[in-house]
Amino acid sequence: MALLHRPQGAPVRPVSRETPTPWLGLAMAVGGALTAWCVHRLVPAVPMLTASVVLGIAAAHLPGLRTFVRGAARPGLSLAGRRLMRMGIVLLGLGLGLDQVLRLGWATVAMVVGVVAATFLGTLWLGRRLGLPGDQPLLIATGYSICGASAIGAVSEVSGSDEEDVAASVALVTLCGTLAIGILPLLQGPLGLSDPAFGRWVGAGVHDVGQVVATAQTAGPAALGEAVLVKLMRVALLAPLVAAVAFSVRARRRGVRTASGRRPAPVPLFVLGFLAAAALRATGILPDVALEWAHTAQEALLAAALFGLGSAVHLPTLARTGGRAAALGLGAWVVVAGVSYAGVMLTV
């Protein structure tokens, strides 16, 4: 066997190590989103975004798939949970019909702001009292008060939350929002709510936009229209909430720079993109077909991102705080349902 000699003075080349590629995980996230769309088409009562989270959790625990999810696919799945989430949130701004929202009147606007504030502060306080780990109290409070998993993803971007905290919070908020689809319609009669009032209650109290639509449509088009408009008001509060969290984080980490040597931005670019998209929608220059395509793209991006987040859920770890998390979920549910009901009754 011939011996290979390095010429004298030649540089020593470092041993090459295979760099994990994100493409496998990104492809898996896209496949998960496509599967969730198929589930939604087959069973319309199951929102696409809810199906994405559930499929991601399932993929992370299936014996033949979990090694791939936690290994080769992990970089891409994590990237989907961050980058695609930001892109989806920017497009979410195009769904904000600010002119329609303002037509509901300032009393309704004040009611929604009050519901969001009471839900956020109450859930945050209760989560800390229960001793939930990491940023879970902050993330769950955000998800309950604004728009579910999308809001959790937005706040986690500026708070630098651990991926496991994000995944656990998304799982809890998604579960509770899904239960609302079956439970709230049963309460319309006993609570004496007309169809429009029921729609406002659903819009003010249910987390994810898809869950709001699935719940409100049971009471007809009048309820659905009111629910969507009130829900859009809550979505409009995402930007100021994320900005407030960003300023809070910046204040706590004053003088600290990121790994790139730059100070963290006071307001993240994707929040500015969200506001710019909402302003563009308000001009009325976008044709309906463009808005429809943007909505489709937004759903696809968020579905892929939520599949990535769901795949980070580790059920044994989640089970260790399951009792406290369940108590927080139930408590937050009571707060948002009660406060939103009182607000609706005061403004109808």
Side-chain angles (χ1 to χ4, degrees), residues 255-285:
V256 176
R257 297 177 183 269
T258 63
S260 63
R262 296 173 296 180
R263 295 184 186 276
V267 180
L269 288 178
F270 73 92
V271 175
L272 298 178
F274 172 87
L275 293 173
L280 180 62
R281 166 68 186 266
T283 63
I285 63 174

Side-chain angles (χ1 to χ4, degrees), residues 97-136:
L98 296 178
D99 53 340
Q100 295 177 315
V101 169
L102 292 177
R103 280 194 215 120
L104 289 176
W106 291 108
T108 303
V109 172
M111 180 270 287
V112 172
V113 172
V115 168
V116 168
T119 303
F120 179 79
L121 296 175
T123 304
L124 183 62
W125 175 84
L126 181 58
R128 288 175 175 168
R129 293 281 293 180
L130 290 171
L132 274 140
D135 284 340
Q136 287 187 34

Side-chain angles (χ1 to χ4, degrees), residues 116 141-148 151 206-207 231 234-235 237-238 241:
V116 168
T142 302
Y144 268 85
S145 59
I146 302 290
C147 54
V206 178
H207 321 319
K231 181 61 185 176
R234 288 172 66 194
V235 174
L237 295 176
L238 175 62
L241 178 61

Side-chain angles (χ1 to χ4, degrees), residues 79-325:
L79 184 65
R82 295 192 309 272
R83 301 293 184 183
L84 299 187
M85 177 67 75
R86 294 179 188 180
M87 295 166 64
I89 290 169
V90 170
L91 291 179
L92 189 63
L94 290 177
L96 279 176
L98 296 178
D99 53 340
Q100 295 177 315
V101 169
L102 292 177
R103 280 194 215 120
L104 289 176
W106 291 108
T108 303
V109 172
M111 180 270 287
V112 172
V113 172
V115 168
V116 168
T119 303
F120 179 79
L121 296 175
T123 304
L124 183 62
W125 175 84
L126 181 58
R128 288 175 175 168
R129 293 281 293 180
L130 290 171
L132 274 140
D135 284 340
Q136 287 187 34
L138 170 66
L139 299 175
I140 293 170
T142 302
Y144 268 85
S145 59
I146 302 290
C147 54
S150 302
I152 291 174
V155 167
S156 69
E157 290 290 335
V158 299
S159 62
S161 301
D162 183 79
E163 189 177 35
E164 290 187 2
D165 287 342
V166 177
S169 302
V170 166
L172 177 64
V173 171
T174 299
L175 172 62
C176 293
T178 302
L179 291 175
I181 298 172
I183 294 175
L184 294 193
L186 301 177
L187 299 177
Q188 180 182 1
L191 292 177
L193 293 169
S194 64
D195 289 348
F198 175 72
R200 291 191 178 200
W201 184 46
V202 170
V206 178
H207 321 319
D208 181 78
V209 177
Q211 294 162 350
V212 166
V213 172
T215 307
Q217 56 87 27
T218 61
L224 181 58
E226 294 287 321
V228 170
L229 289 179
V230 171
K231 181 61 185 176
L232 288 179
M233 278 193 197
R234 288 172 66 194
V235 174
L237 295 176
L238 175 62
L241 178 61
V242 173
V245 172
F247 277 112
S248 175
V249 170
R250 184 180 173 85
R252 289 201 310 269
R253 302 174 183 173
R254 191 174 301 278
V256 176
R257 297 177 183 269
T258 63
S260 63
R262 296 173 296 180
R263 295 184 186 276
V267 180
L269 288 178
F270 73 92
V271 175
L272 298 178
F274 172 87
L275 293 173
L280 180 62
R281 166 68 186 266
T283 63
I285 63 174
L286 293 177
D288 290 342
V289 65
L291 294 175
E292 290 174 6
W293 277 103
H295 177 73
T296 300
Q298 168 217 309
E299 289 275 301
L301 288 167
L302 291 180
L306 290 176
F307 182 90
L309 287 176
S311 70
V313 172
H314 187 235
L315 291 180
T317 302
L318 186 60
R320 284 197 285 272
T321 57
R324 287 174 290 163

